[in-house]
Amino acid sequence: MSSFSYRNGITSKGVGMKLDNYSSKSSSSFKSKVQSTGSSIRRSSTGSVGGGSKDDSAVSGRVRVAVRLRPRNAEEMVADADFADCVELQPELKRLKIRKNNWDSDTYEFDEVLTEFASQKRVYEVVAKPVVESVLDGYNGTIMAYGQTGTGKTYTLGRLGEEDTAGRGIMVRALENILAEISHETDAVSVSYFQLYMETVQDLIDPANDNISIVEDPRNGDVSLPGVTLVEIRDQKSFVELLRIGEANRFAANTKLNTESSRSHAILMVHLKRSIKGRNSSLSTESTGKTLKAPIVRKSKLVIVDLAGSERVEKSGSEGHTFEEAKSINLSLSALGKCINALAENSAHVPVRDSKLTRLLRDSFGGTARTSLIITVGPSPRHRGETSSTIMFGQRAMKVENMLKIKEEFDYKSLSRKLDVQLDKLVAEHERQQKAFQDEVERMALEAQKRVADAERNYADALEEEKLKCQKDYAESIKILEEQWAEKQEKHGQRKVKFGPVDDGIDQKSNSELSTSGEVAKIKKILQNEILLRKAAEAEVNNLRNQLTQWKKTEAARNDEISQLHKLVEDEAHQKARLEEEIAILRSQLLQISFEADQTRRNLDIGGNGELSGSLDSLIPQVKHQQPRDSGDGEKASMVKLFEQVGLHKILSLLEADDADVRIHAVKVVANLAAEETNQEKIVEAGGLTSLLTLLRSSNDETIHRVAAGAIANLAMNETNQELIMSQGGISLLSFTAANAEDPQTLRMVAGAIANLCGNDKLQVKLRAEGGIMALLGMVSCRHPDVLAQVARGIANFAKCESRAISTQGIKAGKSLLIEDGALPWIVQNANNEASQIRRHIELALCHLAQHEANTKDMINGGALWELVRISRDCSREDIRTLAYRTLKSSPSFQAELKRQRIDYG
Ligand code: ADP
Ligand code: MG
């Protein structure tokens, strides 16, 4: 059987925790009895581990507990000189023995046992360093000191060590460690420092800030203190300075409060934000084919808690505390003890909400943080009791199991910034490319044109030249022919004259024929020549034509290229549009996220400051929505039309129709109309109110009841109608309806109607006599918050009217009818209801009731006084807080009771 199983060592995933100092070297062999003296070893089991984890990324981590013994101080040296220390340490066995008497002692085992000689450095390395390293890795971490006043909690955690470096405590060393590890470009450290005293949080950096509220994120339960000063830390010096200021302020604040710092819890919160590089989110853009690196940030938190002294505060003892203070001083510490017991025993309910301290440390015990506890004890036998209870606290804390989880998230804001930059780059690049394409296209077009023009000109020139040449040749040929012909004619004529008419011509004739055929051959030759020349010219022309078509082809190819480039440009533009769309979507997601965050924050900040007066307004849309969901404006318009054309009387007469469907529709129409103020008078004049009340009596249909009650609630906003409702037995009809209702919404309508009636001064007595208050109280068994809110509103209204009647009309103040009818227990029970709507009404009701001395006795006996005290201190609405305070101050009975209880109120 192994005692310590130390299963929490974070070994998987390379988280890099160094737990060597904590790992057990003696995990094996203790059976329960170790020594013959009968001492028994109490040891912790590690509790249930791991299996229950819902989250893969979580690893289990038990709370680690070290014990530190303070050396004897001067006083102890003298006073206890003859006595042995009441504790004995066996650091190598990690055991502590506490002497019960001379022959008997109990032995306990801890994760680490630090003797009176342990140096601050060793204490830091053993207790704090593993936690600090976890925080640097993105986990939340807690280091807490617990022990009796004067045993060295502040020495261990808070020493600045300015005079002696070796004396530096955990706070200073932790920050030094963090500042050395982080990158100052991408990471940020900020700290807040505050104290918790009597359930009030006070800023130690800005002491004017002395009533800070704790806010919880409903989604993940994270707690934060938005009101506390947060200082970004860049170097060690400024941090030490800040601690010094905090220390001074703690001293000053506690002097003012007339307490010692040992009564307050000092809490240092270190917020670390680190950017993680090299891991991608799944966001990618098809267009660029690139995966966008979505930055991941780790936001972890280190909480260092110097607890108030663990010794019990005497009831109203030596330090002059009142009983109330004593209760309050102990509250957070005892709540912490209860939570740790519950966690150690794996109990289903852990009363985290019982105190501010436990709310602040929610993540530290049973949460996701790595937690180290150092318990401090002194050696003196005179404090054996306290020492022993401190040790038991430590033993129980060792059983608390946390599930460590990295606190990381995507940094959408910086992703968006990155996308913006990328988009701008793309846009610029796109513009450049477009311009280059255009230039290229223009240049090519110009060149093509020039070439075509050249070719055409060449062709024309060549043609012209050829033509001229041909003409010239032709003219020359003609000229030669003419000359030859003239020559021939001449020769011919001479011969005829010479030889006379005698025909001796055979020779002559053959002569002339001979010369002519020579001419012809010559001409033929010339012609052939001509033909050759022409052919050459034609070939030349063809050649040029070919060249031209060639050019045209090239031009077409160019044009193709140009249109392809155009297409490319268009594609680029598409891609740009797509990217812009993506950015828009991301932006809207971002907006949505930050909107939700704001919303949550606002809700939390307001603490549910519900509107009081407007509560019934919410009934109106409810009634309206009794119409089928698909009825939009169209249906409403047609209803108005129906109203105008059919007339109210006809519609009202349909309330008594035989057909149940018709009746239901009619009552819905009337309810819709009654929701508009302008119609209300007409409806009442036409007898609609009477018909609606009759329906409550005569119908068995719950839908009709619900809708009719809603309509009556709306009509009951007006004073005249309220009287009418009362005079027609409205209360008993509404009570009857409530008694038979199954749907909480029916009850809500009925309660809303009665709540409205409760607001009428003149009807109070009658309303009560007819059982109106009892009817309201009867409805609280339905626990639906909507119903409870209306009941609370009714009670507040009633109490307000009563108190107004007494103070303005001087009516003799008897006991409140509400108290007479037994409303007080419910009021007290719900005075701190979680739903702010309910709580606000009741807080007001209590203030009104408290105005009158006749009520005070019942209120004191019923516990209402404590609620008023709480309201006057804690209510988040200042007006109500002040009202409660004034009321308490001005009531002699309350003052007397507070005095009797020794509560200093003022
Ligand atoms: P606590 O905060 O628990 O009330 P302190 O830290 O104020 O106790 O310590 C009380 C006194 O004991 C101080 O004077 C402190 O210097 C001294 N002291 C506490 N622990 C040690 C230690 N380990 N070594 C020396 N002196 C110590
Ligand atoms: Mg201290």
Side-chain angles (χ1 to χ4, degrees):
M1 172 197 140
S2 88
S3 54
F4 276 101
S5 54
Y6 292 96
R7 274 183 275 181
N8 61 327
I10 304 181
T11 48
S12 57
K13 306 188 175 215
V15 176
M17 293 291 307
K18 293 189 187 119
L19 290 165
D20 303 358
N21 291 321
Y22 264 21
S23 63
S24 167
K25 288 163 202 133
S26 58
S27 63
S28 54
S29 59
F30 298 114
K31 293 270 152 53
S32 50
K33 300 272 178 182
V34 166
Q35 291 170 354
S36 55
T37 55
S39 331
S40 61
I41 287 192
R42 317 280 161 88
R43 79 178 77 86
S44 300
S45 81
T46 50
S48 71
V49 183
S53 166
K54 284 169 233 122
D55 195 329
D56 293 345
S57 59
V59 276
S60 60
R62 181 171 59 71
V63 169
R64 309 253 119 201
V65 182
V67 60
R68 185 182 197 183
L69 175 64
R70 171 175 59 63
R72 281 191 179 199
N73 58 29
E75 190 195 334
E76 285 161 345
M77 300 268 199
V78 177
D80 302 334
D82 298 336
F83 300 95
D85 287 352
C86 83
V87 290
E88 183 191 320
L89 303 183
Q90 297 177 314
E92 64 292 343
L93 296 176
K94 298 190 193 298
R95 282 196 225 155
L96 174 147
K97 280 188 183 176
I98 180 157
R99 212 184 304 283
K100 276 167 37 184
N101 46 46
N102 276 338
W103 62 89
D104 198 6
S105 61
D106 283 336
T107 304
Y108 300 93
E109 196 166 303
F110 284 96
D111 290 315
E112 197 65 44
V113 167
L114 298 157
T115 66
E116 64 268 48
F117 308 112
S119 66
Q120 292 280 73
K121 179 166 193 275
R122 176 163 153 69
V123 172
Y124 176 77
E125 270 161 9
V126 163
V127 174
K129 202 167 180 195
V131 178
V132 172
E133 280 171 351
S134 269
V135 171
L136 283 164
D137 285 334
Y139 297 87
N140 281 348
T142 313
I143 301 160
M144 186 168 93
Y146 180 99
Q148 194 186 351
T149 298
T151 50
K153 296 182 294 299
T154 308
Y155 183 93
T156 303
L157 297 179
R159 272 196 94 187
L160 301 183
E162 283 170 305
E163 61 301 330
D164 171 18
T165 329
R168 288 170 307 153
I170 285 176
M171 287 180 180
V172 176
R173 286 173 197 265
L175 248 287
E176 202 169 60
N177 198 345
I178 289 173
L179 287 170
E181 288 292 318
I182 62 168
S183 142
H184 290 273
E185 281 97 67
T186 53
D187 305 343
V189 197
S190 48
V191 304
S192 51
Y193 195 24
F194 52 91
Q195 73 167 1
L196 181 62
Y197 177 64
M198 295 256 295
E199 295 304 287
T200 310
V201 177
Q202 300 162 319
D203 198 336
L204 287 177
I205 295 171
D206 175 11
N209 235 352
D210 62 359
N211 191 6
I212 294 159
S213 48
I214 301 173
V215 168
E216 269 161 57
D217 186 334
R219 283 174 303 188
N220 50 19
D222 279 355
V223 293
S224 60
L225 299 130
V228 92
T229 311
L230 201 63
V231 183
E232 180 157 359
I233 300 294
R234 303 206 147 271
D235 54 50
Q236 185 68 5
K237 218 177 119 212
S238 59
F239 173 68
V240 174
E241 187 51 36
L242 200 93
L243 279 187
R244 205 206 327 273
I245 292 171
E247 206 176 36
N249 285 333
R250 191 178 183 201
F251 182 76
N254 293 321
T255 312
K256 200 169 123 204
L257 290 166
N258 199 14
T259 176
E260 291 171 31
S261 41
S262 65
R263 293 283 166 246
S264 68
H265 312 281
I267 299 170
L268 177 76
M269 239 180 218
V270 184
H271 301 263
L272 179 61
K273 182 175 159 190
R274 305 190 79 178
S275 301
I276 302 301
K277 288 194 207 107
R279 277 173 58 190
N280 298 338
S281 83
S282 53
L283 268 169
S284 70
T285 52
E286 294 161 34
S287 47
T288 56
K290 254 197 260 172
T291 305
L292 285 170
K293 290 217 169 105
I296 292 172
V297 282
R298 288 185 176 162
K299 290 183 182 168
S300 51
K301 206 160 66 176
L302 171 65
V303 186
I304 304 183
V305 190
D306 184 358
L307 286 175
S310 61
E311 64 278 6
R312 272 159 38 84
V313 179
E314 298 303 323
K315 270 205 169 174
S316 49
S318 52
E319 288 174 35
H321 295 295
T322 64
F323 173 60
E324 189 62 12
E325 272 174 330
K327 256 184 7 190
S328 210
I329 287 168
N330 275 335
L331 182 63
S332 268
L333 210 52
S334 60
L336 178 65
K338 283 181 199 156
C339 284
I340 283 175
N341 285 351
L343 286 164
E345 285 157 18
N346 265 328
S347 149
H349 176 65
V350 182
V352 171
R353 306 198 59 84
D354 279 5
S355 77
K356 293 215 165 138
L357 182 66
T358 47
R359 281 172 68 198
L360 280 169
L361 296 179
R362 179 182 213 136
D363 197 41
S364 308
F365 293 94
T368 67
R370 166 160 293 280
T371 297
S372 254
L373 171 68
I374 179 158
I375 61 167
T376 55
V377 295
S380 170
R382 280 178 300 151
H383 296 301
R384 181 183 290 110
E386 294 297 352
T387 304
S388 162
S389 83
T390 298
I391 283 164
M392 292 320 294
F393 180 90
Q395 288 287 300
R396 283 190 294 272
M398 282 175 83
K399 297 186 189 168
V400 177
E401 197 73 43
N402 288 356
M403 292 305 295
L404 272 49
K405 245 189 103 180
I406 290 198
K407 304 291 179 189
E408 79 184 3
E409 55 193 51
F410 292 124
D411 188 352
Y412 287 111
K413 279 188 191 163
S414 94
L415 174 62
S416 162
R417 275 198 300 277
K418 222 173 188 173
L419 283 171
D420 270 347
V421 171
Q422 209 172 60
L423 178 68
D424 281 349
K425 262 194 205 150
L426 280 171
V427 167
E429 180 59 23
H430 171 73
E431 209 177 355
R432 269 198 293 280
Q433 279 180 7
Q434 209 171 25
K435 179 80 179 59
F437 285 145
Q438 268 165 6
D439 288 354
E440 178 68 10
V441 166
E442 258 164 43
R443 194 188 61 72
M444 278 159 73
L446 272 177
E447 193 176 316
Q449 269 171 10
K450 202 171 139 245
R451 287 198 189 171
V452 169
D454 278 356
E456 272 171 358
R457 204 172 44 243
N458 285 347
Y459 179 51
D461 286 356
L463 266 181
E464 186 65 17
E465 205 177 294
E466 207 55 33
K467 194 174 134 199
L468 283 176
K469 203 172 156 204
C470 286
Q471 275 172 353
K472 202 172 142 216
D473 286 355
Y474 183 66
E476 258 167 30
S477 310
I478 294 288
K479 205 172 147 203
I480 293 168
L481 277 175
E482 269 174 359
E483 275 171 12
Q484 285 176 347
W485 191 71
E487 222 172 282
K488 216 167 124 190
Q489 281 293 14
E490 217 175 286
K491 271 186 194 160
H492 209 66
Q494 276 173 357
R495 208 165 283 169
K496 260 189 180 166
V497 173
K498 217 177 193 178
F499 298 103
V502 183
D503 202 8
D504 60 351
I506 291 165
D507 280 342
Q508 276 177 17
K509 199 184 167 186
S510 63
N511 245 353
S512 104
E513 261 172 20
L514 237 159
S515 76
T516 310
S517 67
E519 290 297 319
V520 167
K522 223 177 187 174
I523 287 170
K524 253 188 195 158
K525 209 175 157 213
I526 290 168
L527 263 173
Q528 264 165 0
N529 211 9
E530 283 307 303
I531 286 165
L532 277 178
L533 275 171
R534 217 192 94 206
K535 274 192 181 147
E538 270 172 8
E540 177 77 0
V541 166
N542 272 341
N543 193 17
L544 283 170
R545 259 201 202 116
N546 278 344
Q547 264 186 33
L548 190 66
T549 41
Q550 200 62 35
W551 278 119
K552 287 215 166 117
K553 263 189 205 148
T554 325
E555 202 193 349
R558 290 272 150 79
N559 280 341
D560 266 2
E561 214 172 301
I562 288 169
S563 67
Q564 254 166 23
L565 287 174
H566 271 303
K567 225 173 135 250
L568 256 172
V569 169
E570 255 168 44
D571 281 356
E572 282 295 318
H574 276 310
Q575 276 175 19
K576 184 184 150 199
R578 257 214 305 278
L579 258 178
E580 276 169 345
E581 253 169 51
E582 253 171 70
I583 299 263
I585 291 169
L586 275 170
R587 280 227 178 93
S588 78
Q589 281 174 357
L590 186 66
L591 253 178
Q592 181 72 20
I593 292 166
S594 54
F595 173 75
E596 280 170 12
D598 279 355
Q599 195 73 14
T600 318
R601 210 173 302 126
R602 216 171 299 129
N603 284 344
L604 293 166
D605 284 348
I606 295 169
N609 270 359
E611 272 277 293
L612 295 180
S613 55
S615 296
L616 197 78
D617 294 352
S618 55
L619 280 175
I620 296 171
Q622 180 71 25
V623 172
K624 279 184 188 164
H625 288 133
Q626 298 304 326
Q627 291 296 322
R629 285 222 180 277
D630 57 349
S631 72
D633 285 349
E635 184 137 343
K636 204 172 155 196
S638 69
M639 202 159 322
V640 173
K641 221 176 194 174
L642 192 73
F643 182 34
E644 283 166 357
Q645 292 184 356
V646 179
L648 188 55
H649 283 284
K650 285 238 175 73
I651 298 174
L652 290 177
S653 71
L654 291 177
L655 291 178
E656 282 144 45
D658 290 334
D659 185 335
D661 275 350
V662 174
R663 274 204 309 273
I664 288 187
H665 281 307
V667 73
K668 284 180 177 173
V669 171
V670 174
N672 255 299
L673 294 171
E676 308 289 344
E677 222 178 307
T678 46
N679 299 333
Q680 291 180 350
E681 200 178 327
K682 287 183 214 156
I683 293 173
V684 175
E685 260 173 28
L689 180 53
T690 313
S691 309
L692 287 166
L693 287 166
T694 313
L695 269 183
L696 289 188
R697 182 183 307 126
S698 61
S699 171
N700 295 325
D701 182 316
E702 177 141 11
T703 306
I704 288 190
H705 282 180
R706 187 181 65 236
V707 181
I712 292 168
N714 279 323
L715 293 175
M717 288 197 284
N718 158 313
E719 213 171 293
T720 325
N721 295 346
Q722 289 167 354
E723 280 163 19
L724 264 174
I725 292 170
M726 290 296 291
S727 69
Q728 295 188 23
I731 288 294
S732 63
L733 285 172
L734 287 166
S735 311
F736 168 78
T737 309
N740 293 315
E742 276 167 14
D743 181 353
Q745 290 309 323
T746 313
L747 290 176
R748 172 166 171 256
M749 298 299 164
V750 171
I754 298 181
N756 280 345
L757 297 173
C758 284
N760 189 321
D761 299 342
K762 292 179 224 149
L763 299 176
Q764 295 236 287
V765 177
K766 187 164 194 285
L767 183 127
R768 187 265 181 146
E770 291 181 6
I773 297 172
M774 296 306 252
L776 273 181
L777 291 173
M779 280 182 264
V780 304
S781 58
C782 158
R783 304 198 163 277
H784 198 290
D786 289 352
V787 179
L788 298 186
Q790 292 304 327
V791 172
R793 189 169 67 84
I795 286 174
N797 273 349
F798 198 92
K800 181 179 70 192
C801 287
E802 267 188 344
S803 113
R804 199 157 52 197
I806 295 165
S807 52
T808 62
Q809 298 157 22
I811 292 175
K812 167 94 183 73
K815 201 190 271 188
S816 163
L817 298 179
L818 287 169
I819 295 180
E820 296 275 13
D821 276 3
L824 198 54
W826 185 76
I827 293 177
V828 173
Q829 260 168 39
N830 288 274
N832 203 8
N833 193 299
E834 274 177 14
S836 65
Q837 248 194 334
I838 302 171
R839 192 171 65 240
R840 289 285 170 262
H841 287 306
I842 293 192
E843 284 168 350
L844 275 180
L846 277 169
C847 289
H848 288 307
L849 288 173
Q851 305 280 332
H852 302 292
E853 286 294 301
N855 296 333
T856 50
K857 193 163 162 244
D858 291 271
M859 291 184 78
I860 290 169
N861 292 337
L865 173 55
W866 304 118
E867 294 304 333
L868 273 168
V869 171
R870 183 190 55 72
I871 295 166
S872 75
R873 281 179 177 160
D874 292 351
C875 179
S876 60
R877 280 233 339 226
E878 197 188 339
D879 48 348
I880 300 180
R881 213 166 55 229
T882 318
L883 178 61
Y885 179 78
R886 290 219 190 100
T887 310
L888 282 175
K889 280 305 255 189
S890 60
S891 159
S893 315
F894 286 150
Q895 283 301 315
E897 174 66 10
L898 289 170
K899 204 174 240 161
R900 199 179 67 75
Q901 298 259 19
R902 310 181 74 154
I903 290 166
D904 180 18
Y905 193 80

